[in-house]
Amino acid sequence: MLKTNKILCYLALGVLPSLGFSQNKDTPPANWYNLDFQKDATMGISTEKAYELLKGRKATPVIVAVLDGGVDVQHEDLKDVLWTNPKEIPNNGKDDDGNGYIDDIYGWNFLGNAKGENVNQDNLEVTRLIRIYEPKYGSVLPTTPLTEAERREFVAYQKMITFYTSKVDEGNMGKMTYNRLKEELDGIIKAIGKEPKDITVADLDQFNDATARQKSAIRIAKKEMDTGTFLKFYEDIKDGATHFNDQVDYNLNQKFDPRNIIGDNYEDASERYYGNPDVKGPDAGHGTHVAGIIAGKRNNGIGINGIADQVKIMSVRVVPNGDERDKDVANAIRYAVDNGAKIINMSFGKGYVYNKKTVDEAIKYAESKDVLLVHAAGNDASNNDIVKNYPTKYFTDSLDAVVGEAKNWITVGATAWKLDGDLLAEFSNYGYRSVDVFAPGVKINSTMPESKYKEQDGTSMASPVVAGLAALLRSYYPNLTAVEVKQIILKSVTKVDQKVKVKGENGNKKVYLDEISVSGGIVNAYKAITEADKLLSNKK
């Protein structure tokens, strides 16, 4: 599911919620994810230090595909680092290069149709699955005769219903809470008579005609303004309201199904040629942010510095405001591979899967073409060894038994900037076998549509940090294979002799990173360059 940022949930208390906001109340240094701990006392990945080693070396630009909700290709900090299809003539309505996609200049959009119409909202996968299984199993009793295959489906359906019901309850509570808080803030803004960006603590203190609800909202706002602005707080509340409204109205609404807009035969997973060339789509916030982390034009005096300096971003729109569909993900991977991407970033995930086989086949195809896949671990503070976050690096059979593992795959969890017990982002998923590495994913400032910038949290931000590092390696070491790049990244992590807090079944517990990941550390660009030099030296 596409998450614009980590929605900072409130706990309901009376009419308005009590504060339950951010893990880190202070502010990290600018560009923190590129900084070095020894030099800057910040748990970045030492990108700037790595470039000192690379001075004078030549690099070959590498194509990185961003499979996401869309990218603003006109952004001031991205327009110079975009992949463009060299064989396609813009806007002539023809498939000039014969790849099956008309006018695919910057990439492709699998969430639209040839008329230019696009899907924005969609269901969660669990909603779609319940819509399929409910007519068959909604009235089944434990004593109803079923085949072995039907029994497995019925048990799965029952678990889906339990999960779905809890999500509906959460969505309704969140919708009521955030809408009510936004309503009170709107009233306060109107009464004060200023734009949100101009409202100060003094303005709130001088607002004497507040109702009881408004007083509660003011208390929350003032607490958040200790480390931010009223505008930032108000934007977070609006994001929260939008998130929960979308959950109730679209993501969890079994009566809502927008797939007819696209006009494909959804059940035909082999169908590949549908969509349109609108890679921005109706909501490009998440994908634009991800693209900037990877490739925001470095040292141009504007915006932010991405990780890689020799990279071309290919945008493949595949994630709606809801859960991505397996057919679209598989097609997006194949499109990226066939059009020259050497790294694919996938900052999305979901707890249920409809057609895992078609995604597995696409992952194997990418592996056969030496393409590295980088995937976000998820933002549920859960153990991916136990609770699945699809797609995964594991190939499975019809009984969901593991039958193989992708060697060209890196799963990424998120960390913060301080070396303390809160180093692991409070929302980050983890897993001793299933999460490979960690990377910065808290308060990451990056590009947003219309040449804007914004801080966001999530493993969605950590994944492009690693994809950017992979692009850095493949551009300066073009002979490295995808598997070798993965090995270098995992081998060169910064190990941390510090226990971190994770959420367990019985509350928080403290563990080392090597207990909750394969590599046991945070990616490090400087060490990766050193490791790559060592590997190439040994090959000679």
Side-chain angles (χ1 to χ4, degrees):
M1 179 181 181
L2 191 154
K3 297 179 181 178
T4 304
N5 66 349
K6 173 180 166 284
I7 298 299
L8 301 167
C9 292
Y10 288 118
L11 301 174
L13 181 63
V15 180
L16 282 176
S18 65
L19 190 64
F21 241 32
S22 176
Q23 168 186 24
N24 291 294
K25 303 295 289 183
D26 52 357
T27 302
N31 193 42
W32 81 262
Y33 59 94
N34 285 317
L35 300 183
D36 176 73
F37 181 73
Q38 291 182 340
K39 181 180 179 182
D40 308 297
T42 300
M43 293 300 293
I45 72 163
S46 305
T47 315
E48 311 302 348
K49 187 177 177 182
Y51 278 108
E52 295 175 10
L53 285 179
L54 295 171
K55 282 181 181 178
R57 302 196 199 184
K58 293 182 179 180
T60 303
V62 170
I63 299 171
V64 179
V66 173
L67 274 54
D68 217 290
V71 173
D72 181 2
V73 296
Q74 301 300 323
H75 194 288
E76 62 180 8
D77 219 7
L78 293 175
K79 60 185 180 181
D80 294 335
V81 295
L82 299 172
W83 172 79
T84 55
N85 190 338
K87 298 179 181 179
E88 196 76 15
I89 299 172
N91 304 317
N92 69 351
K94 298 179 180 179
D95 180 18
D96 300 293
D97 61 357
N99 70 350
Y101 302 95
I102 296 172
D103 289 334
D104 58 325
I105 302 300
Y106 298 107
W108 194 250
N109 169 25
F110 285 99
L111 298 179
N113 62 32
K115 298 177 183 179
E117 299 168 324
N118 291 318
V119 168
N120 184 9
Q121 313 288 351
D122 205 340
N123 304 134
L124 297 188
E125 192 66 73
V126 68
T127 308
R128 297 192 286 256
L129 289 171
I130 288 174
R131 189 161 57 225
I132 293 170
Y133 288 129
E134 190 162 288
K136 186 175 183 180
Y137 298 112
S139 59
V140 167
L141 301 174
T143 55
T144 303
L146 298 171
T147 66
E148 184 178 345
E150 289 173 334
R151 179 65 60 184
R152 285 197 301 270
E153 283 187 345
F154 175 60
V155 171
Y157 167 74
Q158 288 180 307
K159 291 179 180 178
M160 290 176 200
I161 289 293
T162 300
F163 175 80
Y164 176 79
T165 302
S166 69
K167 293 295 290 184
V168 169
D169 291 343
E170 175 192 289
N172 285 326
M173 175 61 73
K175 180 177 181 178
M176 180 188 70
T177 298
Y178 275 89
N179 285 346
R180 187 171 290 173
L181 182 52
K182 181 182 178 297
E183 180 182 335
E184 301 306 333
L185 291 174
D186 286 339
I188 292 167
I189 292 166
K190 183 177 180 180
I192 290 175
K194 289 185 177 181
E195 293 296 318
K197 65 182 178 62
D198 298 321
I199 292 177
T200 65
V201 172
D203 292 324
L204 298 177
D205 287 338
Q206 293 167 14
F207 182 41
N208 297 319
D209 296 328
T211 65
R213 289 180 178 178
Q214 288 175 334
K215 287 178 181 177
S216 295
I218 287 170
R219 283 196 299 271
I220 297 170
K222 286 170 64 177
K223 188 168 183 179
E224 286 307 302
M225 290 169 72
D226 288 344
T227 55
T229 64
F230 183 87
L231 176 62
K232 173 66 167 61
F233 170 66
Y234 182 62
E235 292 294 331
D236 283 340
I237 297 306
K238 287 203 300 182
D239 285 347
T242 299
H243 171 76
F244 286 111
N245 286 334
D246 286 350
Q247 272 207 335
V248 174
D249 297 340
Y250 304 110
N251 304 155
L252 298 166
N253 183 357
Q254 294 184 48
K255 296 180 180 179
F256 176 73
D257 184 0
R259 191 66 186 191
N260 64 305
I261 292 173
I262 295 174
D264 66 323
N265 177 6
Y266 181 57
E267 295 306 318
D268 181 5
S270 67
E271 183 182 13
R272 295 187 57 191
Y273 302 110
Y274 57 92
N276 65 47
D278 178 11
V279 298
K280 183 179 181 182
D283 184 0
H286 191 276
T288 302
H289 199 273
V290 165
I293 295 169
I294 297 168
K297 184 73 172 178
R298 291 183 60 82
N299 304 319
N300 61 350
I302 59 174
I304 53 100
N305 281 347
I307 303 290
D309 69 343
Q310 294 293 327
V311 62
K312 296 296 181 182
I313 293 294
M314 174 193 292
S315 177
V316 190
R317 184 169 181 264
V318 70
V319 186
N321 288 312
D323 277 348
E324 60 283 352
R325 296 185 183 234
D326 299 320
K327 175 182 177 179
D328 300 337
V329 171
N331 281 330
I333 291 172
R334 290 179 181 274
Y335 175 90
V337 172
D338 289 343
N339 288 280
K342 300 308 291 182
I343 297 154
I344 297 175
N345 185 81
M346 300 183 292
S347 287
F348 54 79
K350 58 186 180 180
Y352 289 85
V353 67
Y354 176 63
N355 190 345
K356 189 174 184 300
K357 181 181 178 181
T358 193
V359 178
D360 284 353
E361 289 172 349
I363 293 169
K364 291 175 183 177
Y365 180 68
E367 187 172 23
S368 74
K369 300 296 184 179
D370 191 37
V371 177
L372 182 68
L373 305 177
V374 185
H375 183 234
N379 301 330
D380 301 307
S382 63
N383 187 341
N384 283 2
D385 291 348
I386 299 171
V387 182
K388 297 294 188 294
N389 179 51
Y390 296 102
T392 77
K393 62 184 176 182
Y394 298 111
F395 305 130
T396 55
D397 62 16
S398 60
L399 298 178
D400 202 33
V402 174
V403 294
E405 178 179 339
K407 296 181 176 65
N408 61 325
W409 181 286
I410 302 176
T411 301
V412 188
T415 47
W417 66 91
K418 286 186 175 181
L419 183 57
D420 59 18
D422 291 322
L423 176 65
L424 180 70
E426 64 181 354
F427 54 80
S428 180
N429 290 1
Y430 53 90
Y432 178 70
R433 296 180 181 86
S434 51
V435 174
D436 295 296
V437 294
F438 293 98
V442 177
K443 292 192 176 182
I444 305 297
N445 188 41
S446 186
T447 47
M448 292 292 286
E450 318 310 326
S451 292
K452 295 179 181 179
Y453 303 85
K454 185 179 181 180
E455 284 185 355
Q456 294 195 0
D457 302 333
T459 58
S460 283
M461 285 65 251
S463 181
V465 169
V466 177
L469 173 54
L472 179 64
L473 288 168
R474 298 203 85 166
S475 61
Y476 281 89
Y477 304 88
N479 293 325
L480 289 175
T481 67
V483 172
E484 287 173 333
V485 170
K486 174 182 177 177
Q487 291 170 343
I488 288 169
I489 289 174
L490 268 62
K491 191 173 182 180
S492 61
V493 295
T494 298
K495 301 279 188 174
V496 177
D497 188 21
Q498 162 81 50
K499 284 192 173 183
V500 300
K501 287 188 293 189
V502 300
K503 291 183 179 179
E505 293 182 0
N506 301 313
N508 289 340
K509 60 180 180 179
K510 291 188 175 182
V511 299
Y512 291 106
L513 292 184
D514 62 7
E515 297 177 76
I516 55 171
S517 66
V518 175
S519 66
I522 300 167
V523 297
N524 186 295
Y526 179 84
K527 291 182 179 179
I529 295 299
T530 303
E531 192 65 36
D533 285 339
K534 189 187 303 181
L535 177 63
L536 292 182
S537 177
N538 291 337
K539 281 186 173 183
K540 293 179 180 178

